[in-house]
Amino acid sequence: MPNRSASPTPVAILSALLQEQQGLMELLHRPQKVAHAGRDFWLGELHGRPVVLALSKIGKVAAATTATALIERFGVRRMVFTGVAGGLGAGVNVGDVVVASDFVQHDLDASPLFPRYEVPLYGRSRFEGDAALTALLFKAASAALGDGGIGGAGAAFAGARAHLGLIASGDRFVSGASESRGLHAALTGAGHEVLAVEMEGAAVAQVCHDYGVPFAAVRTISDRADDSAHVDFPRFVEEVASRYAHAIVEKLLLSLEP
Ligand code: ADE
């Protein structure tokens, strides 16, 4: 059994919303709060491993600030995001889990100077998750779902599936069937086969790319980004999201090498 507490650098676990972080906070050993950059960072141990829990806040800029602070101030060398997303791809249903293979910013458009979706001066439109960390996260998510549902949430989401694929991020809560169809069609038409939409992941992926910090993200589908998304989203966040985050992160931390 490796001595996990020997690890010098904590793993960062980022959530967008307090409700999503709740289940992790309850398990944090030796919690120590550090206020920095208008945020509370929680240092402690989860399953014997040093971690920093942080809220990304909502939107790409806020998430980039949190990610940068985690790297610069807290010295994290691995970052994991847990949160919720709207399902965009066919067969990506409420209660399913999407682990990001990579990210695109669906609201980035510097055309005609650069191709639609391309991040100017990076020569690319997508940022990948770290292959090894993402594989472990996908395994953890699949195992958590396979345990017959997550923390009592399973009954409501029997048959929930784990997917691995592209996630689109943008500064917009997508809550209309025609908008989500349009978003899906535009991205697919540009060669981006997207599974889910949220508001932070691509920003964190870009920051981690800049610093060379391995990053992986998992999103539970809280809504279908359609006309009832604004009702489904808060209900899911209140009732289910923290149990998903807790179950998946536990399995991931137990599987990490020091
Ligand atoms: N996060 C969860 N659901 C979402 C949606 N429909 N749009 C953007 N971000 C989300």
Side-chain angles (χ1 to χ4, degrees), residues 84-86 172-174 197-199 222-223 225 229 233:
V84 296
R172 183 168 175 79
F173 185 78
V174 182
V197 62
E198 38 83 309
M199 302 178 69
S222 57
D223 57 80
F233 168 80

